[in-house]
Amino acid sequence: MKQILDSDIDAFKSFINEHDFFFVIGHKEPDGDCMASCIGVAAILDALKKKYQLLSAGPFKRNEVKRFEERFSNTMDFLDDNERKKTGLIIADCSELSRLGEIDGDLTGLDIFVIDHHKTSGLPEGAEGYIDSESPACAYLVQQFYEKIIGPVPEELSKVLFFGLCTDTGFFKFVSTKNAEVFDGASRLVKAGADPRKTYNQINSGKPYSTRKLLGTLLMKAERYLEGKLVITTESLDDTKKYGLEGRDSDALYQLMLATEGVQAVVFLRQDTETTCTGGFRSQDEIDVSQVAAKFGGGGHKNASGMSCNGKIETLLPQIVKEFARIM
């Protein structure tokens, strides 16, 4: 991972000092890392006595993040032209404006600062920020910014940031030897009050019964490609209507499939509307699924990426297989 330099800290502090009000936002369909990162940024602003609004386009489909929903709004506070000139937009766990989703208000023209860790991301034109694609979680980057700007993380924030860290690292199973310092950061959070056992239960317990039924459907529909190295399963509009309205447990699906002998990559393709699809990509070791996601307007990490695009499952599926054939 990159080291956050004093110049990076100074750049963020300057951005904060130059503005009177902030919108803090992450990507649509937020996960735990996105929520924790935004709340961590808000805590920095709180400590510096800056006013802000937490924004999210939602939807909050993941059971483990529903408890954060009331902190966020999808409608921007009204600002006049003079107020907008002194307003900053801080984007966490995302740098692509198209992935912010639909917000009731105008985000254009605001000064932007990004904190992100996605491999395929780059800073929007004219934006400032810090992106480290080697970091396993954006919450870990936000933790470091908080510690360097404000000081030791307080108890309640430590619980939130630890939750975000555990979400994106799969409770540390995706942390490699080159990310060893992440455990130092996790240790500081636990010493401050984060509880690993409670955090694990927050992430993995309380799933709606319908998600178990949907998981069974997705497992039954799973098919192997490329000599068994690639597994793809699909969720139709009827599947969503029957079982998927309360959410889904994609992580369990990926874990089960990647634990199968010979499987190196898994794709979950969902028909969101009659004309649009969402895809999730997971892989083992050296298979870089972000390359495939980028072909369909998505992005993410080497071993975990996603995309949303126009199309139907039956036409996108062979295109996805073709792209995987190039890298496997």
Side-chain angles (χ1 to χ4, degrees):
M1 293 188 298
K2 296 193 301 183
Q3 181 181 0
I4 297 181
L5 304 174
D6 289 342
S7 58
D8 299 314
I9 299 300
D10 290 342
F12 191 37
K13 288 168 64 176
S14 295
F15 184 85
I16 294 173
N17 290 333
E18 290 166 2
H19 298 87
D20 296 332
F21 185 83
F22 299 86
F23 293 114
V24 181
I25 190 171
H27 57 76
K28 61 185 178 181
E29 292 196 34
D31 57 8
D33 188 32
C34 179
M35 293 283 90
S37 299
C38 288
I39 292 170
V41 169
I44 294 174
L45 297 175
D46 272 329
L48 296 176
K49 302 187 183 308
K50 290 287 188 174
K51 296 180 179 180
Y52 62 89
Q53 182 187 20
L54 285 166
L55 295 175
S56 177
F60 294 80
K61 291 184 178 180
R62 298 171 182 265
N63 184 66
E64 66 270 22
V65 303
K66 288 184 181 297
R67 61 195 173 103
F68 298 123
E69 183 173 2
E70 64 182 16
R71 301 195 193 189
F72 292 78
S73 174
N74 64 359
T75 302
M76 295 171 60
D77 289 346
F78 174 77
L79 301 174
D80 61 32
D81 289 341
N82 288 329
E83 290 171 325
R84 285 181 65 87
K85 292 176 183 178
K86 297 293 288 181
T87 295
L89 176 64
I90 302 177
I91 305 174
D93 198 37
C94 178
S95 66
E96 299 157 291
L97 299 180
S98 61
R99 292 191 64 225
L100 300 181
E102 296 296 324
I103 296 293
D104 186 5
D106 183 11
L107 292 172
T108 61
L110 298 175
D111 296 332
I112 298 173
F113 196 98
V114 171
I115 302 177
D116 193 19
H117 73 131
H118 290 94
K119 182 178 179 181
T120 53
S121 299
L123 291 174
E125 185 177 355
E128 299 178 74
Y130 183 85
I131 298 177
D132 181 4
S133 61
E134 295 295 328
S135 176
C138 187
Y140 177 59
L141 299 178
V142 173
Q143 176 189 348
Q144 293 177 84
F145 273 101
Y146 187 98
E147 291 170 334
K148 290 177 181 292
I149 295 174
I150 308 301
V153 178
E155 181 176 355
E156 289 306 310
L157 181 59
S158 73
K159 296 174 182 178
V160 174
L161 292 176
F162 188 74
F163 169 81
L165 177 61
C166 290
T167 298
D168 252 31
T169 62
F171 226 88
F172 303 103
K173 67 176 179 283
F174 300 132
V175 178
S176 67
T177 53
K178 63 184 178 182
N179 302 137
E181 59 265 43
V182 168
F183 290 102
D184 294 330
S187 176
R188 295 195 297 274
L189 296 177
V190 172
K191 288 178 181 178
D195 188 323
R197 180 179 297 180
K198 288 184 179 179
T199 303
Y200 182 87
N201 288 334
Q202 287 172 341
I203 294 172
N204 295 287
S205 301
K207 307 290 187 184
Y209 179 73
S210 60
T211 65
R212 310 297 93 181
K213 300 288 285 186
L214 179 59
L215 180 59
T217 297
L218 297 177
L219 290 172
M220 288 294 294
K221 295 175 72 173
E223 297 289 346
R224 294 189 294 180
Y225 300 85
L226 305 180
E227 300 178 336
K229 293 181 290 186
L230 173 66
V231 170
I232 300 180
T233 190
T234 60
E235 180 182 325
S236 67
L237 291 172
D238 287 340
D239 294 333
T240 303
K241 184 177 180 180
K242 190 172 182 180
Y243 296 126
L245 297 179
E246 291 186 83
R248 52 190 50 79
D249 192 4
S250 305
D251 291 338
L253 171 70
Y254 298 132
Q255 184 175 348
L256 287 168
M257 289 291 94
L258 286 174
T260 305
E261 183 180 7
V263 175
Q264 298 178 17
V266 177
V267 174
F268 167 41
L269 191 59
R270 181 176 77 240
Q271 192 77 51
D272 287 324
T273 69
E274 292 289 348
T275 58
T276 62
C277 283
T278 295
F281 305 79
R282 298 294 186 275
S283 67
Q284 305 268 30
D285 303 325
E286 298 305 313
I287 305 300
D288 187 351
V289 293
S290 69
Q291 295 182 37
V292 179
K295 294 287 186 179
F296 298 90
H301 311 291
K302 177 181 177 181
N303 300 123
S305 292
M307 62 86 167
S308 296
C309 68
N310 294 325
K312 291 182 175 291
I313 287 175
E314 55 267 28
T315 55
L316 286 172
L317 196 151
Q319 297 175 40
I320 290 172
V321 174
K322 183 178 179 180
E323 293 301 327
F324 268 98
R326 299 178 191 275
I327 64 172
M328 297 182 76

